[in-house]
């Protein structure tokens, strides 16, 4: 079971008769690290979702959903007392997106938690792919809450002022975010994740991590696709059994001895057919857990990309410095090893004067000094980045292993529950057949 | 050997007749032709045919005729290729000269036997044979699944006959089980010309319509119609379920490899992921067995009873025709003044025939209904049992996975506490 510290109580896996709401809570609780900054001080909920209509940026009517964020100071409620009324405000999905983008740019060395999907993907046929479908909205609500809890429990992200503002003040938040000027920090090269930067000495750990992240992305996508197809088929199998119920019922009307047995067996077949709805709804939780880590791979890739960029700039700076030093050497010794226009013109039009040479040398020295500063700077930046990023990556890896293991375990629990239901129904049906 | 020989130039037609199972056969007299060792007086025949409602002549304790159909083998001649099945009989019955027989029979031979039985016992319910052709058109006669399905159905057919209190004593049945070469026997039997004649008469009579069918037989008719619809529906439902299960199985088979692939590049997660892969693969196998069971037990049984419906309808038609013939002759007797004596004799004969036919049907009806109930009940019970078994096995798989994960985590916790 996941371990949060020696004294923490953890969710029970022995109890396999959890309701879906309970197991959902368990999943969330085990996924979120407790005992860290913000979450120590306040409880956060995404309590509700509501439909709104309004004019959008191009002055057209649109319908969208807003989510109610409730916060309340975390405190022990005395016996018989009522907890304090929470503060609340409404946010829409695009607000969350802005927050996430801000965090990713501002903390480029952190694996920022992902948002739930914008549009329903990996859908099996019965499930609606419509964004306004209540089931989708509900699952998104849970996903958004999960996002907030993850940020609030992150050792670095939870301290961010903009994040705090997002949770506590409805007005003026967008302006505040834009005021931070985070957009200026966005390097266009970061956007094109596929563009290759020719980095000579990448940190091998980051290369491996990027490779892992790509593989994980592929395998989870595949798993989600297979799951959707399997769910589709299983739905078909269960539902067709409902036909037994109907035919048995009709048949029992023309039989004397067999009638009762058939009729009651038919009812069990109906129960069996109906049971698949709950089963597959629970399985959506599992799919959502997988999806979270699918989207996490994007965050990981971002961090790796940022490292590449910093490393690249460092190498460029070092290269630039080396080049300048080379030039100085040539100037001093008089040899031209490297082609330069100045060199050529001086050859053509005669040697330059001592004065000219000296002023050029001085300029070059200045440039070299600047270059050395730059390299030093970039080096520090790089080292800091690698250190802090790797710290967060280790944290992320542990979290991932814990969470995914929990997900697999709860999947097993779901399967067990499904099997038990199946045993029950068919044992009952057999009893009825015996009475035929 | 009994019966009369048929002139050589009819033999070709005889073969055609055997192939054509649609042709309905009407007997003239039960005592004609097959040397059936039964007494001729109507009274004793009525007694013979009246059966107790719940009594089966052959239950497990008194079963004295054991038949198996197996070893399908391809048989090639200059003209055709066909499958021969081995039919083995073990018996303690006195009527059989030996206690063990082994013969080879082809589908046509079964057809012959069945049509003979129907001919002689027009109002008994003779279990149907598997179909001649497969409707789907995708399988051919030499496809292994098709042959196996057919073999099972043929096996069931013979055993159903063997269990039947009257049919199992048929001389034709004995010949079928024992004669080395059946072709000689197949050429004998009631002349086909006479059968053609009967058919024409039957058509003419049925056009006239029945005067008064008794309540009992009307109810029977209605039941047969309703039952036919229900059993066809069930057959379709079961086929559909099997199809959906197969498609589910196909998708399920992709789970395992995906988890295995994932386990390949994980460290800590490698174990639980491999565990998942193994679980889904085991469940896959169980699903395969479940589908297999469906297609071996429930589907064939339901299908047989779909075919039974046709048999029942044919039996009801034949019974109606026998009554119609009697009524027709009776009318003639009432209206005509000449030939009163001969007509009277004929009418009496037909009256007896009708009574025998009715009683035969009544008796066999409850026998058949019991058999139907037993067979379908057992098939459904078996299916339910298999499903329980399936879920129990899957449950065990997932529970052991859960156990292994719990053990691992408590090991981890111990290790962390120590460090």
């Amino acid at each position: 079971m996941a371990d949060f510290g020696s004294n923490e109580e953890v969710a029970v896996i022995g109890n396999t008769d959890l309701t879906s709401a309970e197991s959902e809570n368990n999943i969330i609780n085990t996924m979120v690290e407790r005992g860290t900054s913000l979450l120590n001080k306040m409880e956060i909920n995404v309590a509700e979702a509501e439909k709104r209509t309004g004019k959008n940026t191009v002055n057209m009517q649109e319908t969208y959903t807003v989510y109610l964020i409730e916060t309340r100071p975390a405190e022990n409620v005395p016996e018989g007392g009522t907890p304090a009324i929470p503060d609340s405000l409404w946010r829409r999905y695009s607000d969350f997106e802005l927050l996430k983008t801000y965090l990713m740019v501002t903390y480029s060395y952190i694996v920022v938690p992902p948002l739930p999907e914008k549009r329903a993907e990996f859908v099996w046929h019965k499930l609606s792919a419509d964004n306004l479908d209540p089931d989708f909205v509900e699952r998104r609500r849970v996903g958004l809450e999960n996002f907030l809890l993850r940020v609030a429990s992150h050792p670095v992200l939870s301290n961010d002022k903009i994040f705090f503002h997002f949770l506590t003040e409805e007005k003026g938040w967008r302006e505040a975010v834009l005021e931070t000027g985070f957009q200026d920090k966005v390097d266009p090269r970061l956007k094109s994740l596929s563009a290759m930067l020719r980095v000579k000495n990448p940190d091998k750990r980051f290369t491996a991590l990027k490779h892992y992240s790509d593989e994980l992305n592929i395998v989870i996508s595949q798993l989600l696709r297979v799951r959707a197809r399997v769910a589709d088929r299983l739905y078909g199998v269960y539902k067709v059994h409902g036909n037994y119920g109907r035919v048995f019922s009709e048949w029992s009307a023309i039989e004397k001895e067999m009638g009762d047995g058939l009729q009651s067996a038919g009812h069990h077949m109906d129960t069996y057919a109906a049971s698949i709805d709950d089963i597959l709804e629970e399985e959506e939780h599992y799919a959502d857990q997988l999806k979270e880590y699918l989207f996490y791979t994007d965050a990981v890739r971002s961090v790796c990309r940022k490292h590449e960029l910093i490393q690249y700039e460092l190498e460029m700076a070092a290269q630039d410095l080396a080049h300048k030093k080379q030039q100085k050497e040539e100037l001093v010794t008089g040899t031209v090893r490297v082609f330069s226009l100045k060199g050529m013109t001086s050859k053509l039009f005669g040697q330059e004067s001592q004065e000219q040479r000296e002023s050029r040398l001085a300029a070059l020295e200045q440039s070299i000094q600047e270059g050395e500063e730059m390299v030093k700077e970039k080096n520090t930046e790089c080292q800091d980045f690698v250190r802090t990023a790797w710290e967060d990556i280790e944290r992320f890896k542990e979290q991932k292993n814990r969470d995914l293991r929990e997900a697999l375990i709860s999947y097993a629990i779901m399967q067990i529950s499904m099997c038990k239901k199946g045993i029950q129904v068919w044992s009952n049906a057999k009893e009825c057949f015996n009475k035929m | 050997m009994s019966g009369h020989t048929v002139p050589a130039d009819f033999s070709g037609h005889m073969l055609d007749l055997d192939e054509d199972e649609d042709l309905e056969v009407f007997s003239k007299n039960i005592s004609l032709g097959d040397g059936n060792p039964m007494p001729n007086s109507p009274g004793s025949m009525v007694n013979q045919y009246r059966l107790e409602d719940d009594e089966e002549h052959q239950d497990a304790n008194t079963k004295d005729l054991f038949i198996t159909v197996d070893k399908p083998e391809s048989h090639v001649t200059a003209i055709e290729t066909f499958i021969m099945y081995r039919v083995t009989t073990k018996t303690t019955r006195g009527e059989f000269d030996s206690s063990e027989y082994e013969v080879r029979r082809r589908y046509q031979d079964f057809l012959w036997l069945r049509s003979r039985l129907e001919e002689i016992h027009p109002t008994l319910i003779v279990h149907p044979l598997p179909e001649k052709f497969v409707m789907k058109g995708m399988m051919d006669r030499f496809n292994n699944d098709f042959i196996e399905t057919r073999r099972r159905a043929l096996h069931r057919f013979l055993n159903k006959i063997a269990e039947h209190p009257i049919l199992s004593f048929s001389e034709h049945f004995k010949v079928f089980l024992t004669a080395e070469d059946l072709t000689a026997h197949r050429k004998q039997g009631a002349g086909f010309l006479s059968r053609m004649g009967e058919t024409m008469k039957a058509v003419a009579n049925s056009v006239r319509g029945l005067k008064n069918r008794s309540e009992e037989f009307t109810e029977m008719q209605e039941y047969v119609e309703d039952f036919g619809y229900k059993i066809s529906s069930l057959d379709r439902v079961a086929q559909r379920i099997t199809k959906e299960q197969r498609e589910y199985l196909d998708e399920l088979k992709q789970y395992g490899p995906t988890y295995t692939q994932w386990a390949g590049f994980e460290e800590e997660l490698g174990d639980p992921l491999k565990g998942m892969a193994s679980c889904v693969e085991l469940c896959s196998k169980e699903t395969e067995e479940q589908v297999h069971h469906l297609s071996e037990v429930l589907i064939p049984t339901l299908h047989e009873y779909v075919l039974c419906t046709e048999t029942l309808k044919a039996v009801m038609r034949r019974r109606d025709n026998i009554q119609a013939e009697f009524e027709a002759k009776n009318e003639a007797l009432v209206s005509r003044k000449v030939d009163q004596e001969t007509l009277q004799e004929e009418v009496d004969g037909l009256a007896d025939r009708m009574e025998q036919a009715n009683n035969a049907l009544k008796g066999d009806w409850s026998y058949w209904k019991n058999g139907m109930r037993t067979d379908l009940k057992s098939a459904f019970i078996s299916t339910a049992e298999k499903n329980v078994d399936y879920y129990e096995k899957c449950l065990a798989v997932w529970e052991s996975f859960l156990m292994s994960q719990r053990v691992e985590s408590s090991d981890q916790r111990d290790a962390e506490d120590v460090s």
Side-chain angles (χ1 to χ4, degrees):
Chain A
M1 269 303 290
D3 208 292
F4 301 117
S6 41
N7 298 324
E8 285 284 345
E9 270 291 301
V10 294
V12 180
I13 55 167
N15 174 12
T16 59
D17 295 326
L18 297 170
T19 62
S20 69
E22 284 171 61
S23 71
E24 177 194 302
N25 271 326
N26 277 343
I27 289 163
I28 289 174
N29 289 340
T30 57
M31 281 200 294
V32 172
E33 298 171 32
R34 291 194 248 192
T36 56
S37 17
L38 193 60
L39 223 47
N40 256 347
K41 298 193 210 114
M42 66 154 64
E43 283 175 31
I44 304 172
N45 284 103
V46 176
E48 280 168 43
E50 244 181 47
K51 279 212 189 72
R52 297 271 173 86
T53 43
K55 290 260 165 83
N56 65 7
T57 47
V58 291
N59 221 27
M60 283 182 50
Q61 276 288 94
E62 61 168 6
T63 310
Y64 55 91
T65 313
V66 286
Y67 300 87
L68 186 68
I69 302 180
E70 285 182 352
T71 49
R72 164 178 32 223
E75 59 188 6
N76 286 321
V77 182
E79 288 265 345
T82 44
I85 297 170
D87 294 325
S88 61
L89 48 76
W90 296 94
R91 295 273 182 230
R92 53 186 294 194
Y93 188 80
S94 53
D95 294 331
F96 282 86
E97 279 183 309
L98 182 59
L99 174 64
K100 181 176 157 239
T101 310
Y102 161 79
L103 290 172
M104 279 188 85
V105 171
T106 314
Y107 302 91
S108 58
Y109 58 100
I110 296 282
V111 179
V112 174
L115 288 171
E117 56 194 353
K118 202 173 167 96
R119 260 164 279 282
E121 280 176 55
F122 305 107
V123 176
W124 62 279
H125 92 273
K126 194 220 162 198
L127 228 50
S128 171
D130 175 17
N131 280 5
L132 295 172
D133 176 70
D135 284 333
F136 178 75
V137 168
E138 172 58 20
R139 291 205 335 272
R140 192 191 251 190
R141 181 196 68 76
V142 171
L144 292 174
E145 185 177 280
N146 185 49
F147 167 77
L148 293 178
L149 292 173
R150 286 229 191 259
V151 176
S153 60
H154 190 281
V156 173
L157 298 176
S158 59
N159 295 315
D160 187 87
K161 295 283 170 280
I162 294 288
F163 174 60
F164 188 78
H165 191 161
F166 180 89
L167 293 173
T168 51
E169 277 178 57
E170 188 159 339
K171 296 218 189 313
W173 178 75
R174 280 195 163 247
E175 291 79 0
V177 183
L178 297 172
E179 253 172 56
T180 62
F182 78 93
Q183 300 99 304
D184 303 332
K185 292 197 214 148
V186 179
D187 191 313
R189 284 174 294 185
L190 274 174
K191 284 279 173 187
S192 64
L193 291 171
S194 56
M196 284 299 293
L197 291 172
R198 247 173 299 144
V199 176
K200 294 195 194 114
N201 279 321
D203 185 315
K204 289 213 167 50
R205 290 179 301 173
F206 280 97
T207 315
L209 181 65
K210 183 144 159 291
H211 186 60
Y212 167 79
S213 164
D214 289 340
E215 283 193 298
L216 189 65
N217 186 294
I218 290 170
V219 97
I220 293 184
S221 301
Q222 196 168 315
L223 196 57
L224 284 168
R225 269 194 298 274
V226 174
R227 188 209 76 91
R229 286 200 297 263
V230 169
D232 218 14
R233 291 292 166 210
L234 193 61
Y235 183 79
V237 170
Y238 271 71
K239 285 299 176 190
V240 179
H241 279 82
N243 286 318
Y244 271 148
R246 182 182 48 85
V247 182
F248 281 167
S249 180
E250 290 168 11
W251 184 14
S252 69
I254 61 170
E255 296 290 343
K256 290 189 200 105
E257 301 104 340
M258 292 176 18
D260 288 337
L262 278 176
Q263 182 86 303
S264 43
H267 290 147
H268 292 300
M269 291 299 98
D270 288 334
T271 306
Y272 183 71
S275 69
I276 192 69
D277 294 311
D278 283 344
I279 288 168
L280 288 178
E281 200 186 293
E282 272 192 64
E283 216 187 66
E284 284 307 313
H285 287 301
Y286 176 66
D288 285 339
Q289 286 172 277
L290 290 178
K291 275 181 200 170
E292 194 193 12
Y293 278 91
L294 178 68
F295 303 143
Y296 254 123
T297 59
D298 289 334
V300 172
R301 238 201 332 253
S302 269
V303 173
C304 292
R305 188 65 177 171
K306 179 71 179 180
H307 161 75
E308 256 182 41
L309 198 63
I310 292 175
Q311 178 75 12
Y312 179 74
E313 287 187 343
L314 172 63
E315 286 178 4
M316 286 295 110
Q319 206 177 310
D320 186 60
L321 180 65
H323 183 78
K324 284 179 189 154
K325 282 188 174 166
Q326 183 92 17
Q327 278 185 305
K328 174 185 169 189
E329 200 196 309
E330 285 169 12
L331 204 58
V332 163
T333 60
T335 54
V336 181
R337 255 182 263 127
V338 180
F339 177 81
S340 75
L341 197 58
K342 241 328 199 247
M344 280 317 294
T345 50
S346 59
K347 278 222 157 189
L348 285 170
F349 300 109
Q351 288 283 357
E352 52 189 351
S353 70
Q354 183 72 1
E355 257 176 42
Q356 281 174 320
R357 249 181 95 232
E358 276 177 10
S359 80
R360 263 217 297 144
L361 199 63
L364 208 52
E365 291 256 7
Q366 174 75 3
S367 188
I368 285 170
Q369 219 178 340
E370 284 167 6
E372 277 174 344
E373 296 263 338
M374 176 64 85
V375 168
K376 213 161 118 188
E377 211 184 279
K378 289 289 170 189
N379 218 0
T380 313
E381 194 188 334
C382 200
Q383 283 176 356
D384 283 345
F385 181 89
V386 168
R387 185 177 40 85
T388 51
W390 209 255
E391 208 179 294
D392 195 54
I393 285 163
E394 291 296 342
R395 180 206 59 84
F396 167 75
K397 277 188 184 170
E398 274 184 42
Q399 174 199 294
K400 172 209 60 142
N401 287 335
R402 262 202 317 269
D403 290 348
L404 288 177
R405 197 151 157 276
E406 280 312 303
L408 296 178
I409 286 172
S410 36
Y411 182 81
I413 292 174
M414 274 190 271
Q415 293 301 108
I416 286 170
S417 160
M418 180 173 107
C419 289
K420 284 185 175 168
K421 282 189 201 160
I423 290 169
Q424 176 101 59
V425 161
W426 285 103
S427 301
N428 290 341
K430 183 184 157 186
E431 287 293 309
C432 298
F433 289 136
N434 261 321
K435 294 192 204 128
M436 266 168 77
Chain B
M1 275 201 268
S2 54
H4 28 268
T5 54
V6 177
D9 50 326
F10 285 134
S11 56
H13 295 281
M14 282 296 280
L15 241 82
D16 285 343
L17 223 59
D18 283 346
E19 289 296 295
D20 190 357
E21 52 188 304
D22 283 334
L23 188 68
E24 286 176 358
V25 178
F26 301 94
S27 64
K28 286 191 285 188
N29 249 311
I30 294 162
S31 55
L32 216 172
D34 71 342
N36 195 320
M38 291 224 245
N40 273 347
S41 78
S44 59
M45 277 201 243
V46 164
N47 285 332
Q48 187 83 45
Y49 288 137
R50 191 174 293 143
L51 297 163
E52 299 305 312
D53 266 334
D54 285 321
E55 196 183 18
E56 286 186 30
H57 242 67
Q58 296 221 13
D59 55 330
N61 295 330
T62 62
K63 193 167 173 184
D64 56 3
L65 191 58
F66 298 85
I67 306 173
T68 49
V69 177
D70 62 5
K71 285 209 168 46
E73 270 168 21
S74 222
H75 200 87
V76 185
T77 67
I79 317 162
E80 52 177 345
T81 309
F82 53 86
I83 306 283
M84 288 283 250
Y85 300 87
R86 181 177 75 164
V87 178
T88 319
T89 309
K90 292 194 172 80
T91 180
T92 53
R93 284 195 193 168
E95 308 89 76
F96 289 78
D97 294 330
S98 167
S99 61
E100 274 191 49
Y101 292 90
E102 191 180 300
V103 293
R104 300 209 70 83
R105 297 285 179 252
R106 58 185 290 191
Y107 181 76
Q108 275 183 23
D109 299 333
F110 287 82
L111 279 178
W112 168 85
L113 171 64
R114 188 167 186 278
S115 70
R116 274 290 97 76
L117 292 173
E118 277 197 315
E119 188 188 324
I120 294 155
H121 307 280
T123 57
L124 288 187
I125 303 161
V126 182
H127 202 71
L129 280 170
E131 285 129 317
K132 220 145 147 35
F133 308 110
V134 184
M135 296 307 151
K136 319 287 180 185
M138 292 227 285
M139 295 198 276
D140 62 313
R141 287 184 300 138
F142 304 105
N143 172 292
N144 280 336
D145 282 340
F146 176 73
I147 291 171
E148 176 57 19
T149 309
R150 186 178 257 197
R151 181 197 68 74
R152 275 180 218 248
L154 294 176
H155 175 93
R156 257 184 80 73
F157 167 76
L158 288 182
N159 277 283
K160 277 284 187 182
I161 306 296
E163 283 163 18
H164 195 284
I166 295 161
L167 295 173
S168 76
F169 294 98
S170 146
E171 183 63 23
H172 290 291
F173 187 48
K174 177 155 161 266
V175 160
F176 178 90
L177 293 174
T178 60
E180 271 298 315
D181 180 17
L182 200 59
T183 43
H185 292 273
R186 280 172 55 176
K187 289 185 173 143
Q188 298 167 9
F192 86 100
L193 273 179
S194 58
R195 275 186 281 177
M196 286 295 281
E198 288 300 327
T199 313
M200 299 314 248
K201 251 201 245 175
V203 170
N205 287 331
S206 60
V207 167
R208 205 179 275 158
L210 280 182
K211 284 285 157 66
N212 46 350
R213 196 200 280 124
S214 86
E215 185 69 32
E216 193 176 353
F217 294 117
T218 310
E219 268 177 33
M220 236 184 245
Q221 183 94 325
E222 279 168 16
Y223 174 85
V224 169
E225 289 253 349
D226 289 335
F227 177 79
Y229 289 132
K230 298 311 148 218
I231 203 75
S232 294
S233 288
L234 281 179
D235 182 48
R236 276 195 302 276
V237 171
Q239 303 259 20
R240 180 75 191 280
I241 288 176
T242 309
K243 173 171 172 278
E244 297 282 342
Q245 283 275 56
R246 285 212 170 98
E247 288 175 349
Y248 167 66
L249 187 58
D250 284 339
E251 299 296 347
L252 204 60
K253 283 188 177 150
Q254 300 196 37
Y255 251 151
T258 310
Y259 279 115
T260 305
Q261 186 185 333
W262 189 356
F265 58 85
E266 289 283 353
E267 289 157 16
E268 268 185 59
L269 279 180
D271 251 7
L273 285 171
K274 277 193 210 130
M276 286 290 282
S278 137
C279 283
V280 295
E281 265 156 23
L282 287 171
C283 288
S284 245
K285 286 211 183 72
E286 293 303 328
T287 308
E288 210 155 0
E289 270 197 42
Q290 190 193 24
V291 176
H292 193 61
H293 185 271
L294 261 183
S295 57
E296 301 241 303
V297 176
L298 187 61
I299 304 250
T301 311
L302 288 174
H303 198 64
E304 260 175 49
Y305 278 93
V306 169
L307 297 175
C308 263
T309 313
E310 292 313 305
T311 306
L312 289 169
K313 287 182 184 163
V315 166
M316 311 255 23
R317 271 200 300 275
R318 290 198 284 266
R319 192 218 67 85
D320 281 354
N321 279 313
I322 289 171
Q323 183 172 329
E325 272 189 53
F326 159 74
E327 284 174 356
K329 264 282 150 41
N330 204 22
E331 261 184 55
L333 178 67
V334 169
S335 59
R336 274 211 248 162
K337 299 303 168 188
V338 294
D339 298 324
Q340 284 269 330
E341 256 187 56
T342 26
L343 269 180
Q344 186 67 57
E345 237 183 272
E346 279 185 57
V347 167
D348 287 341
L350 289 174
D352 281 343
R353 180 166 158 249
M354 182 178 76
E355 197 177 342
Q356 281 160 30
N358 287 346
N359 287 323
L361 179 54
K362 277 188 225 174
D364 213 26
W365 178 252
S366 54
Y367 175 77
W368 178 85
K369 279 212 79 176
N370 254 334
M372 180 271 286
R373 182 167 147 216
T374 311
D375 289 344
L376 291 178
K377 174 173 165 178
S378 135
F380 280 117
I381 288 174
S382 176
T383 304
E385 275 175 352
K386 181 63 192 168
N387 286 341
V388 170
D389 178 59
Y390 164 76
Y391 281 114
E392 278 177 349
K393 290 212 175 94
C394 290
L395 179 67
V397 163
W398 288 108
E399 279 186 333
S400 92
F401 171 75
L402 209 58
M403 282 301 293
S404 74
Q405 292 310 302
R406 234 186 269 183
V407 166
E408 259 183 49
S409 71
S410 68
D411 280 348
Q412 265 176 26
R413 226 199 314 248
D414 292 341
E416 282 166 20
D417 285 344
V418 166
S419 65

